[in-house]
Amino acid sequence: MAVEEEGLRVFQSVKIKIGEAKNIPPYPGPNRMRDCYCTVNLDQEEVFRTKIIEKSLCPFYGEDFYCEIPRSFRHLSFYIFDRDVFRRDSSIGKVAVKKEDLQKYHGKDTWFQLQPVSADSEVQGKVHLELRLSEVITDSGAINHKLATRVLECQGLPIVNGQCDPYAAVSLLGPSRSEAKKTKVKRKTNNPQFEEVFYFEVTRPLSYTKRQFDVEEEDVDKLALRVDLWNASNLKFGDEFLGGVRVPLRVLGQAGVHDAWYFLQPRENGGKSVKVEELGSLRLNIVYTEDHVFPSEHYTPLRDLLLHSANVEPVSASTAHTLGEVCREKQEAAIPLVRLFLHYGKIVPFISAIAHAEVNRTQDPNTIFRGNSLTSKCIDETMKLAGMHYLQVTLKPIIDEICTEHKSCEIDPVKLRESENLDTNRENLRQYVDRIFNVITTSGVRCPTVMCDIFFSLRESAATRFQVDQDVRYTAVSSFIFLRFFAPAILSPNLFHLRPHHPDPATSRTLTLISKTIQTLGSLAKSKSANFKESYMAAFYDYFNEQKYADAVKNFLDLISTSGKWDQKSIETPIMLKEGFMIKRAQGRNRFGMKNFKKRWFRLTNHEFTYHKTKGEGALCSIPIENILAVERLEEESFKMKNMFQVIQPERALYIQANNCVEARDWIDILTKVSQCNRKRLSTYHPSAYLNGHWLCCKLSADAAPGCTPCTGSLPANIQLDVDGDRETERIYSLFSTYMTKLIKMQEACGSKSVYDGPEQEEYSSFVIDDPQETYKTLKLIVSAVQTLEHQHTKYKRDKFKKTKIGSQEHPIGDKSFQCYIRQQSESSTYSI
């Protein structure tokens, strides 16, 4: 989800590889081993958890997590939990990385020391305060100075044990005083509106027996206001600390007034004294990306250059191909290029052009598309985007079965356990391979059109280039569909969204053996036993050394490389797309009270959206996909609950609360995609609920009143439009900007090749330059477009810096920004004088 900033959209995303933990403290008992899992949190909101690694003090996770971050956050946190024999979870330690520090660790494998977890240090949210110092004349004529402290509101407080009933404790602290006052408790909200004022004496009256307190600079410097937020609890353990701020009174300055937002901070010295090294460490690889996307017209020059790439002769002189030449890794260039070309419906001509050029440069048909070229990476990325649903339909049921059954399939005699039988294991593995081979080779009719069109182009280019080799028309296609699509998905189903987590070691070994066999079956190699280094694999492959397997592969490859025949695919059996527990509000007429919010197991297929009392039970309610008119977020104020969305039907809306913000976004996205072709989709909706006889958003009283806000999810069901073209162009600009020195070097290489009619200079030999003059023209246009965008970014940063007001709702005061605030205030007061 993009955050709007004065005509500019900001996208945040994070890709995390959770590697392993080491030196976890042993369990205090005879067993000593622990069953640990790791969670990923945005502040205190859990958005992902790994599987449990049992009986280990150095658990290896090897799990990947990617998400678009749908809201602002302060910390990206990771918690290690231990689950004991009673299935109770206790935290061992945490890693918390501030948002501004994420770039320090960008793309690097880093070991982080686990820090102690304490309720006093786990804080989030912000508070709005107003302080005013005023003179009061007493009956005796003496002048007293009083501090009026107004606690206006808080935002983003954490939910504690399923609820938040906050109140604020306000104290004036000094060398010889500490006065405390409290606000009223606000029930069931994490965005409380307090609007309460408290008065504190700063100057003592003359009748006071101790020394008089004068309002002088050195005395005020010794005073501070402390505001602590608490969750009112009925438990015997007392109220829970939610966070606090300490505001020195010197912020009042000469004006005597201070109005600002503050980030809540942990309690001072609140944590227990635990040695850091006793908690162990966690290895992480974090890639945080923040894209600042301008209005579309700013990207026109660069976008036009990119989209024209397929028409440039030679294609190596095009803008898109140049990006692949200057990037350190081809994958860097392939990801945004493919998404951009898909969005504008030009992926097939572009890939056809670069593939044709690569085939013409290939000398041996046996090495066709074997390297990590721009062509290979672009086709890989296209298959991931266009073929994800195809994989779900084809492989997910059998992969789920393999992961659930845990049948032993080890066929290496050296790794065989004493209780296992080699012949039984071979038969188990053979059955799995046979079933997966059959579902793949009979799935051709479901292969996405865009993939079929690309395979048709590959087949034609290869057959034309190597006319003597009759098999090259097959191997050119099989090197992608088997080697780079089906085999990797079988090997690592979690990376292709076929499983939520990395499989356990035994299942992972089974999938490895299946993947190797399927890969070889699809390769159509002349001597297949020679493809295996291991003798036990060569022996196992004898099961499949029959002509029927080769014929099935060729028939399948013929089918998927025939262009334009499979535009509309009808799938008979329902395919499970997503499932999980969420909380739903009752849909009947008597919908009052919190009791009507119940936890249910939700299940989405390509046919219907259902919910059940628990997993495996019959459906309590079934909504056909064609009955979904819109899927939209629900404003928090409707029920004072976060992460809610609504599935709008002809008669009513179903209100649902997801577990976290990422889950809510995922459900909205997938429900929107499966229903976006429905003919009766709404164009407007109500962002709030219908309660107490009217819509909370527009105050209309009629239950059937048309929506007051345009729908956000009314896109056609077309993969090209599931991509933001401007965002991808911005990413490509960022890459060109990063590798500007290489662009300049490539320009020099063009000059060198034009001038010297002989062997090219070694320092420029890394670039593919078929036509120096044409390539030089393209480079000049790229540099100009990039510099124009660079100027726009610089201007935006400069203007934003000028407009940034520390202490505003958008930029609350934190630990590091307090001095900046003081300096900002003094500069503004000097200017006004």
Side-chain angles (χ1 to χ4, degrees):
M1 178 182 294
V3 178
E4 295 284 346
E5 285 188 8
E6 297 181 9
L8 177 139
R9 294 174 298 142
V10 181
F11 295 87
Q12 305 172 101
S13 63
V14 67
K15 183 170 67 174
I16 303 162
K17 187 170 186 64
I18 304 170
E20 60 189 308
K22 66 180 181 182
N23 302 326
I24 300 294
Y27 189 78
N31 184 9
R32 296 178 65 79
M33 292 292 105
R34 291 185 183 269
D35 298 341
C36 295
Y37 64 90
C38 178
T39 69
V40 180
N41 294 53
L42 291 174
D43 296 320
Q44 288 175 257
E45 183 179 14
E46 181 184 316
V47 295
F48 176 76
R49 71 168 57 185
T50 68
K51 63 183 176 182
I52 298 172
I53 304 298
E54 298 180 345
K55 299 180 177 60
S56 175
L57 299 180
C58 297
F60 177 81
Y61 298 105
E63 296 210 31
D64 296 87
F65 173 66
Y66 171 85
C67 77
E68 296 281 336
I69 300 175
R71 62 170 178 82
S72 59
F73 68 101
R74 290 168 63 187
H75 292 87
L76 182 65
S77 303
F78 304 84
Y79 291 76
I80 298 290
F81 286 92
D82 175 39
R83 176 163 291 183
D84 64 19
V85 292
F86 302 106
R87 297 186 65 80
R88 295 174 305 193
D89 297 346
S90 58
S91 56
I92 295 173
K94 70 170 183 180
V95 171
V97 185
K98 291 183 179 179
K99 179 182 177 180
E100 58 265 30
D101 293 337
L102 285 170
Q103 285 301 322
K104 294 180 187 176
Y105 311 106
H106 187 85
K108 304 171 187 172
D109 266 15
T110 307
W111 282 98
F112 293 90
Q113 292 287 340
L114 289 171
Q115 304 294 326
V117 176
S118 163
D120 291 329
S121 67
E122 307 299 298
V123 302
Q124 67 181 59
K126 53 191 176 183
V127 61
H128 188 190
L129 304 175
E130 183 184 291
L131 280 62
R132 187 179 297 272
L133 194 64
S134 57
E135 292 184 351
V136 179
I137 301 176
T138 64
D139 294 338
S140 62
I143 297 177
N144 283 355
H145 289 83
K146 289 195 174 183
L147 177 70
T149 301
R150 187 176 172 207
V151 183
L152 289 94
E153 62 179 310
C154 289
Q155 287 186 357
L157 297 179
I159 306 294
V160 181
N161 297 323
Q163 67 176 40
C164 189
D165 297 329
Y167 69 89
V170 186
S171 308
L172 182 64
L173 309 176
S176 59
R177 70 167 89 186
S178 177
E179 305 171 52
K181 301 176 182 183
K182 296 180 181 179
T183 67
K184 295 175 183 175
V185 176
K186 299 295 180 179
R187 298 289 176 185
K188 294 182 175 60
T189 176
N190 63 339
N191 297 313
Q193 301 276 337
F194 292 112
E195 293 288 349
E196 293 192 40
V197 182
F198 302 98
Y199 295 93
F200 297 93
E201 281 192 355
V202 176
T203 306
R204 301 292 187 182
L206 291 173
S207 59
Y208 192 63
T209 54
K210 294 191 178 179
R211 77 173 182 87
Q212 183 177 342
F213 280 74
D214 293 325
V215 184
E216 295 175 349
E217 188 176 348
E218 62 268 25
D219 291 324
V220 172
D221 282 349
K222 295 175 184 175
L223 300 178
L225 189 79
R226 177 83 195 178
V227 180
D228 289 329
L229 273 297
W230 297 83
N231 181 47
S233 172
N234 296 322
L235 302 175
K236 62 180 180 180
F237 303 108
D239 298 346
E240 294 98 352
F241 177 73
L242 300 179
V245 295
R246 187 178 185 277
V247 184
L249 290 200
R250 69 175 184 272
V251 299
L252 292 165
Q254 293 181 348
V257 178
H258 174 66
D259 183 342
W261 284 83
Y262 281 84
F263 278 127
L264 295 175
Q265 303 293 337
R267 191 173 359 199
E268 296 171 4
N269 302 320
K272 299 177 182 178
S273 56
V274 179
K275 290 183 180 179
V276 172
E277 61 269 18
E278 292 178 359
L279 298 177
S281 53
L282 179 65
R283 180 166 62 86
L284 301 167
N285 189 308
I286 304 170
V287 176
Y288 171 74
T289 306
E290 199 171 277
D291 296 320
H292 293 78
V293 181
F294 293 105
S296 188
E297 61 268 18
H298 291 283
Y299 297 104
T300 301
L302 182 57
R303 182 174 57 238
D304 288 351
L305 281 173
L306 288 160
L307 295 177
H308 185 62
S309 294
N311 303 320
V312 174
E313 286 288 346
V315 73
S316 59
S318 69
T319 303
H321 194 277
T322 300
L323 182 67
E325 288 298 295
V326 297
C327 283
R328 187 182 58 186
E329 302 287 343
K330 303 293 185 189
Q331 184 79 0
E332 279 184 300
I335 292 173
L337 283 175
V338 165
R339 295 174 71 86
L340 181 74
F341 281 106
L342 271 172
H343 178 68
Y344 287 101
K346 296 192 174 186
I347 190 67
V348 175
F350 169 63
I351 287 182
S352 298
I354 59 174
H356 184 70
E358 182 173 333
V359 169
N360 286 341
R361 282 195 293 267
T362 304
Q363 301 303 316
D364 183 353
N366 294 317
T367 62
I368 194 166
F369 300 125
R370 293 297 184 189
N372 287 322
S373 63
L374 181 65
T375 306
S376 298
K377 293 300 182 183
C378 283
I379 297 175
D380 288 352
E381 193 61 28
T382 304
M383 291 191 299
K384 278 184 184 176
L385 286 172
M388 197 57 71
H389 182 68
Y390 178 37
L391 277 180
Q392 295 271 340
V393 171
T394 308
L395 289 184
K396 193 176 191 319
I398 180 67
I399 295 291
D400 284 343
E401 193 177 317
I402 292 168
C403 292
T404 305
E405 288 182 343
H406 299 294
K407 285 184 179 178
S408 182
C409 296
E410 182 55 72
I411 58 172
D412 183 354
V414 177
K415 295 181 179 179
L416 210 64
R417 296 177 183 171
E418 290 184 10
S419 58
E420 294 176 345
N421 181 279
L422 186 59
D423 291 336
T424 303
N425 288 5
R426 275 198 191 118
E427 181 57 21
N428 290 340
L429 184 61
R430 189 194 66 77
Q431 288 182 11
Y432 280 148
V433 170
D434 243 336
R435 288 176 60 193
I436 286 184
F437 179 81
N438 286 331
V439 297
I440 290 174
T441 53
T442 57
S443 70
V445 72
R446 291 193 292 270
C447 186
T449 308
V450 68
M451 288 171 61
C452 293
D453 290 343
I454 289 170
F455 295 150
F456 172 75
S457 175
L458 299 182
R459 174 188 177 120
E460 292 300 300
S461 291
T464 304
R465 174 76 172 90
F466 302 104
Q467 296 181 14
V468 178
D469 192 322
Q470 294 301 307
D471 280 339
V472 73
R473 67 187 63 223
Y474 296 114
T475 55
V477 178
S478 69
S479 63
F480 286 104
I481 194 71
F482 281 100
L483 183 67
R484 295 172 177 266
F485 187 63
F486 284 121
I490 296 166
L491 185 66
S492 303
N494 55 308
L495 299 183
F496 290 81
H497 306 294
L498 299 178
R499 295 289 295 175
H501 299 296
H502 189 72
D504 62 81
T507 305
S508 184
R509 172 65 175 163
T510 298
L511 294 174
T512 300
L513 296 172
I514 295 170
S515 178
K516 290 173 77 169
T517 312
I518 291 293
Q519 184 176 318
T520 306
L521 276 166
S523 68
L524 292 169
K526 302 292 189 296
S527 176
K528 296 188 176 176
S529 295
N531 285 358
F532 297 107
K533 297 176 182 177
E534 310 92 343
S535 57
Y536 61 85
M537 282 301 297
F540 174 70
Y541 196 81
D542 286 340
Y543 285 124
F544 307 98
N545 241 334
E546 298 181 36
Q547 189 58 37
K548 67 175 183 178
Y549 290 101
D551 291 342
V553 169
K554 287 186 176 182
N555 289 338
F556 169 67
L557 296 175
D558 279 335
L559 188 59
I560 65 171
S561 58
T562 303
S563 178
K565 289 190 178 179
W566 313 106
D567 196 20
Q568 297 296 324
K569 313 284 195 308
S570 60
I571 303 168
E572 296 292 331
T573 52
I575 304 301
M576 202 281 292
L577 301 174
K578 188 172 177 64
E579 59 183 346
F581 277 112
M582 292 190 290
I583 294 171
K584 68 102 190 169
R585 183 174 186 258
Q587 295 186 88
R589 292 194 177 274
N590 299 318
R591 295 177 283 179
F592 302 102
M594 292 300 291
K595 288 184 179 179
N596 284 307
F597 285 91
K598 295 182 179 177
K599 191 174 184 179
R600 293 289 183 255
W601 180 263
F602 284 82
R603 193 168 187 270
L604 174 66
T605 72
N606 55 330
H607 289 184
E608 61 183 354
F609 182 48
T610 59
Y611 62 77
H612 316 246
K613 192 167 186 179
T614 188
K615 185 177 181 180
E617 289 193 5
L620 298 174
C621 174
S622 173
I623 303 172
I625 295 300
E626 57 268 23
N627 283 6
I628 298 177
L629 306 182
V631 185
E632 299 287 348
R633 293 185 179 276
L634 188 71
E635 289 181 352
E636 281 182 34
E637 293 307 310
S638 296
F639 300 107
K640 308 293 184 187
M641 295 167 69
K642 296 171 75 71
N643 305 320
M644 289 199 74
F645 65 95
Q646 50 184 318
V647 180
I648 304 171
Q649 307 163 69
E651 298 297 324
R652 61 175 68 91
L654 173 61
Y655 298 135
I656 304 170
Q657 183 187 36
N659 298 317
N660 56 61
C661 59
V662 173
E663 274 288 298
R665 179 192 172 89
D666 287 348
W667 275 106
I668 292 170
D669 281 352
I670 195 165
L671 280 163
T672 299
K673 283 174 186 174
V674 298
S675 64
Q676 59 195 4
C677 272
N678 293 349
R679 285 174 292 179
K680 295 184 180 179
R681 276 190 67 89
L682 297 177
S683 57
T684 59
Y685 77 107
H686 292 284
S688 292
Y690 183 82
L691 292 173
N692 302 322
H694 68 276
W695 292 100
L696 298 181
C697 42
C698 57
K699 309 305 179 187
L700 292 175
S701 57
D703 196 353
C708 57
T709 303
C711 287
T712 56
S714 55
L715 294 175
N718 189 331
I719 184 173
Q720 285 91 331
L721 297 178
D722 289 338
V723 173
D724 188 316
D726 294 335
R727 184 182 182 184
E728 301 310 323
T729 313
E730 167 64 26
R731 286 183 168 178
I732 291 169
Y733 148 75
S734 297
L735 288 170
F736 274 134
S737 182
T738 300
Y739 294 110
M740 182 57 75
T741 53
K742 278 197 172 184
L743 282 173
I744 304 303
K745 204 173 183 76
M746 199 171 177
Q747 282 184 319
E748 294 172 1
C750 289
S752 173
K753 292 195 72 162
S754 297
V755 173
Y756 296 102
D757 186 20
E760 60 182 310
Q761 295 186 27
E762 189 176 340
E763 61 178 315
Y764 303 134
S765 61
S766 59
F767 301 118
V768 174
I769 301 174
D770 296 319
D771 186 328
Q773 285 82 11
E774 198 64 34
T775 305
Y776 187 85
K777 288 179 189 175
T778 300
L779 287 164
K780 197 172 179 182
L781 292 170
I782 293 170
V783 171
S784 174
V786 169
Q787 287 175 343
T788 301
L789 279 167
E790 186 78 51
H791 174 73
Q792 191 66 33
H793 276 276
T794 303
K795 182 178 180 298
Y796 162 73
K797 289 175 185 174
R798 186 171 60 243
D799 292 347
K800 185 180 179 183
F801 179 76
K802 287 180 181 177
K803 294 176 183 176
T804 297
K805 183 184 176 185
I806 299 172
S808 64
Q809 187 173 354
E810 296 76 23
H811 302 281
I813 299 172
D815 280 341
K816 292 183 178 179
S817 58
F818 181 74
Q819 293 303 325
C820 295
Y821 174 80
I822 295 294
R823 187 165 60 250
Q824 193 179 68
Q825 293 301 103
S826 63
E827 287 173 357
S828 63
S829 62
T830 303
Y831 179 76
S832 63
I833 292 170

